[in-house]
Amino acid sequence: MKLIRHGELNKEKPGVIIDEVSYDASAFGEDFNEAFFETDGIARFAKFVEENRGSLTPLPEGTRLGSPVARPSKILCIGLNYADHAKESNAALPQEPVLFMKSTTSLAGPFDDIVIPRNSTKTDWEVELALVIGKKASYVDESEAMDYVAGYCLHNDVSEREFQLERSGTWDKGKGCDTFAPIGPFLATTDEIADPDRLRLWLKVNGQTMQDGSTEDLIFKIPFLISYLSQFMTLLPGDVISTGTPKGVGLGMNPPVYLKPGDVVELGIDGLGSARQNVKAYAKN
């Protein structure tokens, strides 16, 4: 199944994609949030869709899509999880996963604008495979870790490199700005993705390919990441884990290249669709 959330920002309604057509499923009466995943929501939603398939209303063309997951308790990200990206970043290969968090207020829809923060000169792109946790996870064995995955999403881990690397402290301050976590277009349940370790992921800026990699090159694989993270914190249903980015980020170019107003970012992953984000300058409301 491919789950979507559609409508105005912070007022999104549930929906589903069937045979490449997007349908409203607001009659289901629930959002795709922690409570949904915690109560076997995917199975319940699948039953709803099957029973109401003939009466679902197609969404009008141009309907806004939000993140396919409502604001989670955590957005956890893994840094330097591709050897080629670590090399272009002049960083040593990590002995253990590098962990940082994105603010939940950075969550955005797959076609929403990327807003360059005030005083930013080094806003960068990162295409990543993200997974969504389906049930509470604490001290999970690696052999059982995949049982905790609800599904997968496309994610652009937008980053401000000066904030991240030159302002001292942790990476978080360069990762959690508003609009810095566009996710979607949809959440693909695990049955839709035969092998998450063999997915091509790509990103273009203004039509030029910047990143073109495969999840088979992940240093730390998904089962290990889930088990590892669950040793340090409880993972809650609906939590997002983003697994890292391959080479081709702006930081790694010589000289570095960063996003500017008017740029267009396009990205995609096999089986998880594609997204497109226009880049705009910060403007005070």
Side-chain angles (χ1 to χ4, degrees):
M1 239 186 349
K2 297 176 180 178
L3 284 62
I4 59 173
R5 295 172 67 249
H6 64 92
E8 185 180 344
L9 180 66
N10 298 323
K11 296 180 181 179
E12 291 92 348
K13 300 174 181 178
V16 65
I17 298 176
I18 303 173
D19 297 330
E20 308 305 320
V21 178
S22 298
Y23 293 90
D24 173 49
S26 55
F28 179 66
E30 298 178 41
D31 202 353
F32 300 146
N33 54 21
E34 181 179 337
F36 168 83
F37 291 105
E38 189 173 32
T39 56
D40 201 21
I42 287 180
R44 292 187 295 104
F45 185 65
K47 182 179 179 182
F48 168 85
V49 170
E50 184 62 29
E51 292 176 348
N52 295 274
R53 188 164 179 164
S55 59
L56 296 175
T57 302
L59 294 176
E61 187 175 348
T63 297
R64 175 188 175 270
L65 295 182
S67 162
V69 179
R71 185 179 295 180
S73 80
K74 296 182 285 296
I75 302 174
L76 302 169
C77 299
I78 306 302
L80 306 175
N81 202 21
Y82 288 77
D84 54 7
H85 174 55
K87 182 178 180 180
E88 72 173 350
S89 301
N90 295 315
L93 291 181
Q95 299 302 304
E96 295 189 33
V98 174
L99 171 65
F100 61 89
M101 293 190 180
K102 295 180 83 80
S103 168
T104 57
T105 52
S106 67
L107 193 69
F111 303 101
D112 291 348
D113 296 334
I114 293 172
V115 178
I116 296 178
R118 186 165 61 182
N119 301 319
S120 165
T121 59
K122 298 180 179 180
T123 295
D124 204 349
W125 57 84
E126 294 188 12
V127 60
E128 304 199 1
L129 170 67
L131 63 96
V132 178
I133 294 295
K135 58 183 179 180
K136 188 175 181 180
S138 180
Y139 299 109
V140 173
D141 289 336
E142 188 174 346
S143 62
E144 300 175 348
M146 297 304 287
D147 294 340
Y148 291 81
V149 179
Y152 303 95
C153 300
L154 170 65
H155 173 219
N156 188 358
D157 173 23
V158 186
S159 309
E160 213 296 336
R161 301 304 189 185
E162 180 186 359
F163 298 176
Q164 175 191 354
L165 302 172
E166 301 174 33
R167 299 289 294 271
S168 75
T170 67
W171 288 6
D172 302 62
K173 66 184 73 173
K175 296 286 191 171
C177 303
D178 291 354
T179 75
F180 270 27
I183 294 179
F186 53 81
L187 167 68
T189 51
T190 55
D191 58 297
E192 294 274 348
I193 304 297
D195 187 355
D197 286 333
R198 297 187 183 278
L199 301 177
R200 177 181 175 240
L201 62 171
W202 57 270
L203 182 144
K204 298 179 181 181
V205 178
N206 300 329
Q208 180 180 353
T209 297
M210 299 298 190
Q211 295 183 273
D212 192 349
S214 171
T215 57
E216 64 184 327
D217 295 326
L218 284 168
I219 297 172
F220 302 108
K221 305 295 186 181
I222 290 171
F224 179 83
L225 291 175
I226 294 171
S227 175
Y228 181 87
L229 294 174
S230 75
Q231 309 303 310
F232 301 101
M233 65 192 77
T234 296
L235 306 175
L236 295 178
D239 281 357
V240 174
I241 299 174
S242 199
T243 58
T245 198
K247 71 174 181 180
V249 301
L251 172 69
M253 297 182 180
N254 186 17
V257 175
Y258 296 113
L259 295 172
K260 61 186 184 301
D263 285 346
V264 177
V265 180
E266 299 168 280
L267 61 155
I269 299 180
D270 289 348
L272 296 176
S274 60
R276 184 180 189 273
Q277 294 120 29
N278 295 320
V279 180
K280 292 190 175 182
Y282 171 83
K284 188 175 182 180
N285 293 332

mmCIF file of all heavy atoms in Angstrom, residues 235-262:
data_model
loop_
_atom_site.group_PDB
_atom_site.id
_atom_site.type_symbol
_atom_site.label_atom_id
_atom_site.label_comp_id
_atom_site.label_asym_id
_atom_site.label_seq_id
_atom_site.Cartn_x
_atom_site.Cartn_y
_atom_site.Cartn_z
ATOM 1 N N LEU A 235 12.239 3.860 20.539
ATOM 2 C CA LEU A 235 11.684 4.290 19.266
ATOM 3 C C LEU A 235 10.184 4.099 19.324
ATOM 4 O O LEU A 235 9.697 3.016 19.661
ATOM 5 C CB LEU A 235 12.282 3.478 18.124
ATOM 6 C CG LEU A 235 13.811 3.456 18.053
ATOM 7 C CD1 LEU A 235 14.279 2.510 16.950
ATOM 8 C CD2 LEU A 235 14.363 4.858 17.838
ATOM 9 N N LEU A 236 9.447 5.147 19.004
ATOM 10 C CA LEU A 236 7.995 5.102 19.093
ATOM 11 C C LEU A 236 7.372 4.919 17.711
ATOM 12 O O LEU A 236 7.966 5.301 16.689
ATOM 13 C CB LEU A 236 7.464 6.377 19.742
ATOM 14 C CG LEU A 236 7.860 6.596 21.202
ATOM 15 C CD1 LEU A 236 7.306 7.931 21.708
ATOM 16 C CD2 LEU A 236 7.364 5.452 22.081
ATOM 17 N N PRO A 237 6.171 4.355 17.661
ATOM 18 C CA PRO A 237 5.476 4.219 16.378
ATOM 19 C C PRO A 237 5.362 5.569 15.666
ATOM 20 O O PRO A 237 4.986 6.573 16.282
ATOM 21 C CB PRO A 237 4.102 3.684 16.783
ATOM 22 C CG PRO A 237 4.319 3.025 18.100
ATOM 23 C CD PRO A 237 5.374 3.827 18.791
ATOM 24 N N GLY A 238 5.708 5.579 14.409
ATOM 25 C CA GLY A 238 5.685 6.816 13.630
ATOM 26 C C GLY A 238 7.005 7.549 13.589
ATOM 27 O O GLY A 238 7.165 8.495 12.807
ATOM 28 N N ASP A 239 7.965 7.157 14.427
ATOM 29 C CA ASP A 239 9.286 7.779 14.365
ATOM 30 C C ASP A 239 9.927 7.522 13.008
ATOM 31 O O ASP A 239 9.741 6.470 12.399
ATOM 32 C CB ASP A 239 10.198 7.234 15.463
ATOM 33 C CG ASP A 239 9.935 7.860 16.829
ATOM 34 O OD1 ASP A 239 9.082 8.762 16.920
ATOM 35 O OD2 ASP A 239 10.592 7.445 17.798
ATOM 36 N N VAL A 240 10.694 8.498 12.550
ATOM 37 C CA VAL A 240 11.364 8.422 11.255
ATOM 38 C C VAL A 240 12.865 8.235 11.484
ATOM 39 O O VAL A 240 13.469 8.939 12.298
ATOM 40 C CB VAL A 240 11.115 9.690 10.424
ATOM 41 C CG1 VAL A 240 11.934 9.682 9.132
ATOM 42 C CG2 VAL A 240 9.632 9.840 10.106
ATOM 43 N N ILE A 241 13.453 7.287 10.770
ATOM 44 C CA ILE A 241 14.904 7.109 10.760
ATOM 45 C C ILE A 241 15.380 7.290 9.332
ATOM 46 O O ILE A 241 14.948 6.564 8.432
ATOM 47 C CB ILE A 241 15.307 5.716 11.273
ATOM 48 C CG1 ILE A 241 14.840 5.500 12.714
ATOM 49 C CG2 ILE A 241 16.823 5.539 11.191
ATOM 50 C CD1 ILE A 241 15.076 4.089 13.226
ATOM 51 N N SER A 242 16.257 8.265 9.112
ATOM 52 C CA SER A 242 16.798 8.517 7.777
ATOM 53 C C SER A 242 18.215 7.958 7.729
ATOM 54 O O SER A 242 19.026 8.202 8.626
ATOM 55 C CB SER A 242 16.783 10.016 7.476
ATOM 56 O OG SER A 242 16.880 10.251 6.089
ATOM 57 N N THR A 243 18.521 7.193 6.685
ATOM 58 C CA THR A 243 19.662 6.285 6.724
ATOM 59 C C THR A 243 20.969 6.833 6.164
ATOM 60 O O THR A 243 21.984 6.135 6.184
ATOM 61 C CB THR A 243 19.314 4.991 5.978
ATOM 62 O OG1 THR A 243 18.949 5.306 4.623
ATOM 63 C CG2 THR A 243 18.157 4.268 6.647
ATOM 64 N N GLY A 244 20.989 8.067 5.671
ATOM 65 C CA GLY A 244 22.227 8.637 5.156
ATOM 66 C C GLY A 244 22.169 8.894 3.663
ATOM 67 O O GLY A 244 21.253 8.456 2.964
ATOM 68 N N THR A 245 23.164 9.613 3.164
ATOM 69 C CA THR A 245 23.163 10.055 1.768
ATOM 70 C C THR A 245 24.441 9.633 1.052
ATOM 71 O O THR A 245 25.512 9.578 1.654
ATOM 72 C CB THR A 245 22.999 11.590 1.694
ATOM 73 O OG1 THR A 245 22.574 11.975 0.382
ATOM 74 C CG2 THR A 245 24.292 12.329 2.022
ATOM 75 N N PRO A 246 24.355 9.309 -0.252
ATOM 76 C CA PRO A 246 25.562 9.011 -1.030
ATOM 77 C C PRO A 246 26.281 10.287 -1.446
ATOM 78 O O PRO A 246 25.830 11.403 -1.165
ATOM 79 C CB PRO A 246 25.003 8.263 -2.239
ATOM 80 C CG PRO A 246 23.638 8.830 -2.422
ATOM 81 C CD PRO A 246 23.130 9.130 -1.039
ATOM 82 N N LYS A 247 27.401 10.121 -2.130
ATOM 83 C CA LYS A 247 28.202 11.277 -2.551
ATOM 84 C C LYS A 247 27.409 12.161 -3.512
ATOM 85 O O LYS A 247 26.417 11.734 -4.105
ATOM 86 C CB LYS A 247 29.489 10.817 -3.216
ATOM 87 C CG LYS A 247 29.305 10.195 -4.595
ATOM 88 C CD LYS A 247 30.648 9.896 -5.230
ATOM 89 C CE LYS A 247 30.460 9.295 -6.639
ATOM 90 N NZ LYS A 247 31.733 9.000 -7.299
ATOM 91 N N GLY A 248 27.898 13.396 -3.650
ATOM 92 C CA GLY A 248 27.285 14.325 -4.587
ATOM 93 C C GLY A 248 26.641 15.531 -3.936
ATOM 94 O O GLY A 248 25.932 16.283 -4.610
ATOM 95 N N VAL A 249 26.876 15.738 -2.647
ATOM 96 C CA VAL A 249 26.320 16.911 -1.979
ATOM 97 C C VAL A 249 27.144 18.138 -2.351
ATOM 98 O O VAL A 249 28.295 18.041 -2.794
ATOM 99 C CB VAL A 249 26.276 16.725 -0.448
ATOM 100 C CG1 VAL A 249 25.429 15.514 -0.083
ATOM 101 C CG2 VAL A 249 27.674 16.607 0.148
ATOM 102 N N GLY A 250 26.545 19.303 -2.154
ATOM 103 C CA GLY A 250 27.227 20.540 -2.513
ATOM 104 C C GLY A 250 28.507 20.770 -1.736
ATOM 105 O O GLY A 250 29.491 21.307 -2.270
ATOM 106 N N LEU A 251 28.519 20.361 -0.480
ATOM 107 C CA LEU A 251 29.694 20.513 0.367
ATOM 108 C C LEU A 251 30.912 19.817 -0.218
ATOM 109 O O LEU A 251 32.046 20.285 -0.059
ATOM 110 C CB LEU A 251 29.395 19.929 1.759
ATOM 111 C CG LEU A 251 30.552 19.825 2.752
ATOM 112 C CD1 LEU A 251 31.005 21.200 3.199
ATOM 113 C CD2 LEU A 251 30.147 18.982 3.961
ATOM 114 N N GLY A 252 30.693 18.701 -0.909
ATOM 115 C CA GLY A 252 31.803 17.897 -1.404
ATOM 116 C C GLY A 252 32.382 18.345 -2.727
ATOM 117 O O GLY A 252 33.359 17.766 -3.200
ATOM 118 N N MET A 253 31.793 19.368 -3.343
ATOM 119 C CA MET A 253 32.283 19.823 -4.645
ATOM 120 C C MET A 253 33.456 20.794 -4.476
ATOM 121 O O MET A 253 33.651 21.377 -3.414
ATOM 122 C CB MET A 253 31.143 20.469 -5.425
ATOM 123 C CG MET A 253 30.044 19.480 -5.733
ATOM 124 S SD MET A 253 28.713 20.199 -6.707
ATOM 125 C CE MET A 253 27.640 18.765 -6.863
ATOM 126 N N ASN A 254 34.222 20.957 -5.538
ATOM 127 C CA ASN A 254 35.385 21.850 -5.496
ATOM 128 C C ASN A 254 35.295 22.864 -6.624
ATOM 129 O O ASN A 254 35.555 22.529 -7.784
ATOM 130 C CB ASN A 254 36.672 21.030 -5.617
ATOM 131 C CG ASN A 254 37.912 21.875 -5.429
ATOM 132 O OD1 ASN A 254 37.847 22.986 -4.906
ATOM 133 N ND2 ASN A 254 39.057 21.355 -5.871
ATOM 134 N N PRO A 255 34.899 24.115 -6.318
ATOM 135 C CA PRO A 255 34.524 24.612 -4.992
ATOM 136 C C PRO A 255 33.114 24.150 -4.611
ATOM 137 O O PRO A 255 32.350 23.713 -5.486
ATOM 138 C CB PRO A 255 34.574 26.128 -5.178
ATOM 139 C CG PRO A 255 34.212 26.327 -6.616
ATOM 140 C CD PRO A 255 34.824 25.165 -7.353
ATOM 141 N N PRO A 256 32.755 24.250 -3.325
ATOM 142 C CA PRO A 256 31.408 23.856 -2.898
ATOM 143 C C PRO A 256 30.329 24.648 -3.633
ATOM 144 O O PRO A 256 30.534 25.802 -4.029
ATOM 145 C CB PRO A 256 31.407 24.169 -1.399
ATOM 146 C CG PRO A 256 32.845 24.130 -1.004
ATOM 147 C CD PRO A 256 33.592 24.677 -2.185
ATOM 148 N N VAL A 257 29.184 23.982 -3.815
ATOM 149 C CA VAL A 257 28.028 24.605 -4.468
ATOM 150 C C VAL A 257 26.846 24.491 -3.522
ATOM 151 O O VAL A 257 26.570 23.405 -3.008
ATOM 152 C CB VAL A 257 27.695 23.908 -5.798
ATOM 153 C CG1 VAL A 257 26.423 24.483 -6.406
ATOM 154 C CG2 VAL A 257 28.859 24.020 -6.772
ATOM 155 N N TYR A 258 26.152 25.598 -3.297
ATOM 156 C CA TYR A 258 25.023 25.571 -2.372
ATOM 157 C C TYR A 258 23.765 26.122 -3.042
ATOM 158 O O TYR A 258 23.822 26.787 -4.080
ATOM 159 C CB TYR A 258 25.358 26.379 -1.108
ATOM 160 C CG TYR A 258 26.502 25.765 -0.330
ATOM 161 C CD1 TYR A 258 27.727 26.421 -0.222
ATOM 162 C CD2 TYR A 258 26.376 24.511 0.256
ATOM 163 C CE1 TYR A 258 28.784 25.852 0.470
ATOM 164 C CE2 TYR A 258 27.418 23.937 0.951
ATOM 165 C CZ TYR A 258 28.621 24.609 1.060
ATOM 166 O OH TYR A 258 29.655 24.029 1.741
ATOM 167 N N LEU A 259 22.628 25.809 -2.439
ATOM 168 C CA LEU A 259 21.349 26.210 -2.999
ATOM 169 C C LEU A 259 21.152 27.713 -2.885
ATOM 170 O O LEU A 259 21.572 28.343 -1.915
ATOM 171 C CB LEU A 259 20.217 25.469 -2.290
ATOM 172 C CG LEU A 259 20.189 23.948 -2.493
ATOM 173 C CD1 LEU A 259 19.148 23.310 -1.578
ATOM 174 C CD2 LEU A 259 19.924 23.602 -3.952
ATOM 175 N N LYS A 260 20.449 28.253 -3.866
ATOM 176 C CA LYS A 260 20.137 29.682 -3.881
ATOM 177 C C LYS A 260 18.687 29.857 -4.314
ATOM 178 O O LYS A 260 18.100 28.951 -4.944
ATOM 179 C CB LYS A 260 21.081 30.432 -4.811
ATOM 180 C CG LYS A 260 21.016 29.982 -6.253
ATOM 181 C CD LYS A 260 22.082 30.653 -7.097
ATOM 182 C CE LYS A 260 21.972 30.274 -8.567
ATOM 183 N NZ LYS A 260 22.079 28.821 -8.800
ATOM 184 N N PRO A 261 18.073 30.981 -3.983
ATOM 185 C CA PRO A 261 16.681 31.196 -4.392
ATOM 186 C C PRO A 261 16.507 31.019 -5.895
ATOM 187 O O PRO A 261 17.341 31.468 -6.689
ATOM 188 C CB PRO A 261 16.418 32.642 -3.955
ATOM 189 C CG PRO A 261 17.347 32.864 -2.802
ATOM 190 C CD PRO A 261 18.596 32.096 -3.166
ATOM 191 N N GLY A 262 15.450 30.331 -6.267
ATOM 192 C CA GLY A 262 15.177 30.057 -7.667
ATOM 193 C C GLY A 262 15.620 28.685 -8.123
ATOM 194 O O GLY A 262 15.189 28.216 -9.188
#
